Amino acid sequence: MNYAKNILETIGHTPLVQLNALAKDIDALVLAKVESFNPGNSIKDRMAVKMIEDAESKGLLNPGGTIIEGTSGNTGMGLALGAIVKGYRLVCVINDKQSKEKIDILRAVGAEVVVCPTNVEPGDPRSYYSVSKRLADEIPNSWYVNQYDNLSNAAAHYEQTGPEIWDQTDGRITHFVVGVGTGGTISGVGKYLKEKNPKIKIWGIDTYGSVFKKYHETGVFDENEIYPYITEGIGEDILPKNVDFDVIDGFTKVTDKDAAIYTRKLTREEGIFAGNSAGAAVKGLIQLKEHFKKEDVVVVLFHDHGSRYVAKMFNDDWMRDRGFLGSEIKTAADLVKIHEKSSLITAKTEELVMHAIERMKKYDISQLPITDREGYVGSIDESDLFKAWMEDKDIVKRPIKDYMQAPYPVVDKSTSIEKIAKLINKKNKAVLIDLGKGMYRIITKHDIISAL
Ligand SMILES: Cc1ncc(COP(=O)(O)O)c(C=O)c1O
């Protein structure tokens, strides 16, 4: 009989799959190490179990103990599998940027989940770094994993992932391309491969909003490089001990939009349903294509499974709301689709300026079309009102018709974005789109910019 004694024994030995459509412009053999085949659907199963076993052998984790970790989900899943099989309690501290599916999945496998705000400094007591550490102090017989600085993380990839890639490519790998978060994967695999063949190049994929690339190139930890981003799993605002910059030859940064688009492409063009950092890795690989030659064997690693992102990168509304489907926006109809849910807010000529101001405040808008019995006869916007108020502090009590400007131009749904953009200027703050049957939508400069 051929069976595993428990689920942990099924971790690893993931397939290496050739990329075809997405690698068509790359003059090398491109192979993907697809880590979603692990039982927890991500590479993190490997390091999670290694960290638990190392903690057990060091006496840091004892029977009946509690495992605590600040995790973006995948490590939590790996720890959960380990906790179930080995009989520990697990508390996962997660930031609110992570997908709802990841949180739900962690709860499904028995973890207790604490959600913390993303946009606070790592040292802030609300950050998920600080909350995890505090819980570890408070809960008796607990062990704080700290995947960032726990070197068992990189060791798992040195012992497992690196040798698997070396064996699967028969030692012919020339380049390894991978997203970098805690740094465990790139450092462990990179160290192993460089020991086997120092000529192998190790490339990290970073995000805009993360410190890695600049730090690697200049040695400067530049806080200006840190800002919120959408891509999940990679990039950091700290330098984890698991990132061994010495084994990394270079980084390339991938935008949130490109990472999201390539996550979808990977599924639709290769049939590989992988997560967001896999999309970033593929786009990064394409950005690096001039580094590869025909006889090269390039291995790119996909960390996790696409099912965790169905409400995000795989959801059209989510993509459109962020302007990530921007290239499809050609006409007024496309723009209207993005703002489908917002209805047209207007004011009447006989209403008072204070009513227009109230409406602008309520709906957080800067301009209004003005109607009377004949239809759209004027417009009013906050800069006109501000100018008028400078001259007469009583304008709020006067009728709108005394202050309104010319009506906004009206165009039909098929009008191109270029034409609409030309109609919007200092005098004309917006354009009305005629949707037929007496329905109209307003398009402003802000709507066009946010759809870019
Ligand atoms: C989806 C995903 N991609 C990439 C990474 C980065 O891997 P590593 O932490 O080994 O650098 C992570 C780790 O958090 C991840 O969860």
Coordinates of all heavy atoms in Angstrom, one line a residue, residues 329 331-340 342 344 367 369 408-409 411 416-417 420-421 423-424 428-435 440-449 451:
I329 N -11.3 50.6 -21.2 CA -12.2 51.8 -21.2 C -11.9 52.7 -22.4 O -10.9 53.4 -22.5 CB -11.9 52.6 -19.9 CG1 -12.3 51.7 -18.7 CG2 -12.8 53.9 -19.8 CD1 -11.8 52.2 -17.4
T331 N -15.0 54.2 -24.3 CA -16.1 55.1 -24.5 C -16.8 55.5 -23.3 O -16.6 54.9 -22.2 CB -17.2 54.4 -25.4 OG1 -17.7 53.3 -24.6 CG2 -16.6 53.9 -26.7
A332 N -17.7 56.4 -23.4 CA -18.5 56.9 -22.3 C -19.2 55.7 -21.6 O -19.3 55.6 -20.4 CB -19.6 57.9 -22.8
A333 N -19.7 54.8 -22.4 CA -20.5 53.6 -21.9 C -19.6 52.8 -20.9 O -20.0 52.4 -19.9 CB -20.9 52.7 -23.0
D334 N -18.3 52.7 -21.3 CA -17.3 51.9 -20.4 C -17.2 52.7 -19.0 O -17.2 52.0 -18.0 CB -16.0 51.8 -21.0 CG -16.0 51.0 -22.3 OD1 -16.9 50.2 -22.4 OD2 -15.2 51.4 -23.2
L335 N -17.1 54.0 -19.1 CA -16.9 54.8 -17.9 C -18.2 54.7 -17.0 O -18.2 54.5 -15.8 CB -16.7 56.3 -18.2 CG -15.3 56.7 -18.3 CD1 -15.2 58.2 -18.6 CD2 -14.5 56.4 -17.1
V336 N -19.4 54.7 -17.7 CA -20.6 54.7 -17.0 C -20.8 53.3 -16.3 O -21.2 53.3 -15.1 CB -21.8 54.9 -18.0 CG1 -23.1 54.5 -17.3 CG2 -21.8 56.3 -18.5
K337 N -20.3 52.3 -16.9 CA -20.3 50.9 -16.3 C -19.6 50.9 -14.9 O -20.0 50.3 -14.0 CB -19.7 49.9 -17.2 CG -20.6 48.7 -17.5 CD -19.9 47.6 -18.2 CE -19.9 47.8 -19.7 NZ -18.9 46.9 -20.4
I338 N -18.4 51.6 -14.9 CA -17.6 51.6 -13.7 C -18.5 52.3 -12.5 O -18.4 51.9 -11.4 CB -16.3 52.4 -13.9 CG1 -15.5 51.7 -14.9 CG2 -15.6 52.6 -12.6 CD1 -14.2 52.4 -15.2
H339 N -19.2 53.4 -12.9 CA -19.9 54.2 -11.9 C -21.4 53.8 -11.9 O -22.2 54.6 -11.6 CB -19.7 55.7 -12.2 CG -18.3 56.1 -12.2 ND1 -17.5 56.2 -11.0 CD2 -17.4 56.3 -13.2 CE1 -16.3 56.5 -11.3 NE2 -16.2 56.6 -12.6
E340 N -21.6 52.5 -12.3 CA -23.0 52.1 -12.5 C -23.9 52.4 -11.3 O -25.1 52.7 -11.4 CB -22.9 50.5 -12.7 CG -24.0 50.0 -13.5 CD -23.6 48.6 -14.0 OE1 -22.8 48.0 -13.4 OE2 -24.2 48.2 -15.0
S342 N -23.7 54.7 -9.0 CA -23.9 56.0 -8.5 C -25.0 56.7 -9.4 O -24.9 56.7 -10.6 CB -22.6 56.8 -8.6 OG -22.1 56.8 -9.9
L344 N -27.4 60.0 -10.7 CA -27.1 61.4 -10.9 C -27.7 62.3 -9.9 O -28.9 62.3 -9.7 CB -27.6 61.8 -12.3 CG -27.4 63.2 -12.8 CD1 -25.9 63.5 -12.9 CD2 -28.0 63.4 -14.2
Q367 N -19.6 69.2 -7.9 CA -20.4 69.9 -8.9 C -21.8 69.2 -9.0 O -21.9 68.1 -8.7 CB -19.7 70.0 -10.2 CG -19.4 68.7 -10.9 CD -18.2 68.0 -10.4 OE1 -17.2 68.5 -10.3 NE2 -18.4 66.7 -9.9
P369 N -25.3 69.3 -11.8 CA -26.1 69.8 -12.9 C -27.4 70.4 -12.3 O -27.9 69.9 -11.3 CB -26.5 68.6 -13.8 CG -25.7 67.5 -13.2 CD -25.4 67.8 -11.8
Y408 N -23.8 71.5 -18.6 CA -22.7 70.6 -19.0 C -23.1 70.1 -20.4 O -24.3 69.9 -20.7 CB -22.5 69.4 -18.1 CG -22.1 69.8 -16.7 CD1 -22.8 69.3 -15.6 CD2 -21.1 70.7 -16.5 CE1 -22.4 69.6 -14.3 CE2 -20.7 71.1 -15.2 CZ -21.4 70.5 -14.1 OH -21.0 70.9 -12.8
P409 N -22.1 70.0 -21.3 CA -22.4 69.4 -22.6 C -23.0 68.0 -22.5 O -22.6 67.3 -21.5 CB -21.0 69.3 -23.3 CG -20.0 69.9 -22.4 CD -20.7 70.2 -21.1
V411 N -23.4 64.2 -24.2 CA -23.0 63.4 -25.3 C -23.6 62.0 -25.2 O -24.2 61.7 -24.2 CB -21.4 63.2 -25.3 CG1 -20.7 64.5 -25.4 CG2 -21.0 62.5 -24.0
S416 N -16.1 58.8 -27.5 CA -14.8 58.3 -27.1 C -14.4 59.1 -25.8 O -14.8 60.3 -25.6 CB -13.8 58.4 -28.2 OG -13.5 59.8 -28.3
I417 N -13.6 58.4 -25.0 CA -13.0 59.1 -23.8 C -12.2 60.3 -24.2 O -12.2 61.3 -23.5 CB -12.1 58.1 -23.0 CG1 -12.9 56.9 -22.6 CG2 -11.4 58.7 -21.9 CD1 -14.0 57.2 -21.6
I420 N -14.5 63.2 -24.7 CA -15.1 63.6 -23.5 C -14.0 64.4 -22.7 O -14.3 65.5 -22.2 CB -15.5 62.4 -22.6 CG1 -16.7 61.7 -23.3 CG2 -15.9 62.9 -21.2 CD1 -17.2 60.5 -22.6
A421 N -12.8 63.9 -22.7 CA -11.7 64.6 -22.0 C -11.5 66.0 -22.5 O -11.2 67.0 -21.8 CB -10.4 63.8 -22.1
L423 N -13.8 67.9 -23.8 CA -14.9 68.7 -23.4 C -14.8 69.2 -22.0 O -15.4 70.2 -21.6 CB -16.2 68.0 -23.6 CG -16.7 67.7 -25.0 CD1 -17.9 66.7 -25.0 CD2 -17.1 69.0 -25.7
I424 N -14.0 68.6 -21.2 CA -13.8 69.0 -19.8 C -12.7 70.0 -19.7 O -11.6 69.7 -20.1 CB -13.6 67.7 -18.9 CG1 -14.8 66.8 -18.9 CG2 -13.3 68.2 -17.4 CD1 -14.7 65.6 -18.1
N428 N -16.0 74.1 -18.1 CA -16.9 72.9 -18.1 C -16.3 71.8 -17.2 O -15.4 71.1 -17.6 CB -16.9 72.3 -19.5 CG -18.2 72.5 -20.2 OD1 -19.2 72.4 -19.5 ND2 -18.1 72.7 -21.5
K429 N -16.9 71.6 -16.0 CA -16.2 70.7 -15.1 C -16.7 69.3 -15.3 O -16.1 68.4 -14.7 CB -16.6 71.1 -13.6 CG -16.1 72.5 -13.3 CD -14.6 72.6 -13.1 CE -13.9 73.9 -13.1 NZ -14.6 75.0 -12.5
A430 N -17.7 69.1 -16.2 CA -18.2 67.7 -16.3 C -18.9 67.6 -17.7 O -19.1 68.6 -18.4 CB -19.2 67.4 -15.2
V431 N -19.3 66.4 -18.0 CA -20.1 66.1 -19.2 C -21.2 65.2 -18.8 O -21.1 64.3 -17.9 CB -19.1 65.4 -20.2 CG1 -19.9 64.8 -21.4 CG2 -18.1 66.3 -20.7
L432 N -22.4 65.4 -19.4 CA -23.5 64.5 -19.1 C -23.6 63.4 -20.3 O -23.5 63.8 -21.4 CB -24.8 65.2 -19.1 CG -25.0 66.2 -17.9 CD1 -26.3 66.8 -17.9 CD2 -24.8 65.4 -16.5
I433 N -23.8 62.2 -19.9 CA -23.9 61.1 -20.8 C -25.4 60.8 -20.9 O -26.0 60.5 -19.9 CB -23.2 59.8 -20.4 CG1 -21.8 60.2 -19.9 CG2 -23.1 58.8 -21.5 CD1 -20.8 60.7 -20.9
D434 N -25.9 60.9 -22.2 CA -27.4 60.5 -22.4 C -27.5 59.0 -22.6 O -27.0 58.4 -23.5 CB -27.8 61.3 -23.7 CG -29.3 61.1 -23.9 OD1 -29.9 60.2 -23.2 OD2 -29.8 61.8 -24.8
L435 N -28.1 58.4 -21.6 CA -28.3 56.9 -21.6 C -29.6 56.5 -22.3 O -29.9 55.3 -22.4 CB -28.3 56.3 -20.2 CG -27.0 56.6 -19.4 CD1 -27.2 56.0 -18.0 CD2 -25.8 56.1 -20.0
Y440 N -29.6 60.1 -17.4 CA -28.3 60.7 -17.7 C -27.3 60.3 -16.6 O -27.7 60.0 -15.5 CB -28.4 62.2 -17.7 CG -29.2 62.7 -18.9 CD1 -30.6 62.8 -18.8 CD2 -28.6 63.2 -20.0 CE1 -31.4 63.2 -19.9 CE2 -29.3 63.6 -21.1 CZ -30.7 63.7 -21.0 OH -31.4 64.1 -22.1
R441 N -26.0 60.3 -16.9 CA -25.0 60.1 -15.9 C -24.0 61.3 -16.1 O -23.8 61.8 -17.2 CB -24.2 58.8 -16.2 CG -24.6 57.6 -15.6 CD -24.6 57.6 -14.1 NE -25.8 57.0 -13.5 CZ -26.1 55.7 -13.6 NH1 -25.2 54.9 -14.0 NH2 -27.2 55.3 -13.1
I442 N -23.3 61.6 -15.0 CA -22.3 62.7 -15.1 C -20.9 62.0 -15.1 O -20.7 61.1 -14.4 CB -22.5 63.7 -13.9 CG1 -21.6 64.9 -14.1 CG2 -22.2 63.0 -12.6 CD1 -21.9 66.0 -13.1
I443 N -20.0 62.6 -15.9 CA -18.6 62.2 -15.9 C -17.8 63.4 -15.6 O -17.9 64.4 -16.3 CB -18.3 61.6 -17.3 CG1 -19.0 60.3 -17.5 CG2 -16.7 61.3 -17.4 CD1 -18.8 59.1 -16.6
T444 N -16.9 63.3 -14.6 CA -16.0 64.4 -14.3 C -14.5 64.0 -14.6 O -14.3 62.8 -14.9 CB -16.1 64.7 -12.8 OG1 -15.6 63.5 -12.1 CG2 -17.5 65.0 -12.3
K445 N -13.7 65.0 -14.4 CA -12.2 64.8 -14.6 C -11.8 63.6 -13.6 O -11.1 62.8 -14.0 CB -11.5 66.1 -14.2 CG -10.2 66.2 -14.9 CD -9.4 67.4 -14.3 CE -9.9 68.7 -14.7 NZ -9.1 69.8 -14.1
H446 N -12.3 63.7 -12.4 CA -12.0 62.7 -11.4 C -12.3 61.3 -11.9 O -11.6 60.3 -11.7 CB -12.7 63.0 -10.1 CG -12.6 61.9 -9.1 ND1 -11.5 61.8 -8.3 CD2 -13.4 60.9 -8.7 CE1 -11.6 60.8 -7.5 NE2 -12.8 60.2 -7.8
D447 N -13.5 61.1 -12.5 CA -14.0 59.8 -13.0 C -13.0 59.3 -14.1 O -12.7 58.1 -14.1 CB -15.4 59.9 -13.6 CG -16.4 60.3 -12.6 OD1 -16.2 59.9 -11.4 OD2 -17.4 61.0 -13.0
I448 N -12.5 60.2 -14.9 CA -11.6 59.7 -16.0 C -10.3 59.3 -15.4 O -9.7 58.3 -15.7 CB -11.5 60.8 -17.1 CG1 -12.8 61.1 -17.7 CG2 -10.4 60.4 -18.1 CD1 -12.8 62.2 -18.8
I449 N -9.8 60.2 -14.5 CA -8.5 59.9 -13.9 C -8.5 58.6 -13.1 O -7.6 57.7 -13.2 CB -8.0 61.0 -12.9 CG1 -7.9 62.4 -13.6 CG2 -6.8 60.7 -12.1 CD1 -6.6 62.7 -14.2
A451 N -10.2 56.1 -13.6 CA -10.4 54.9 -14.4 C -9.1 54.6 -15.2 O -9.0 53.6 -15.9 CB -11.5 55.1 -15.4

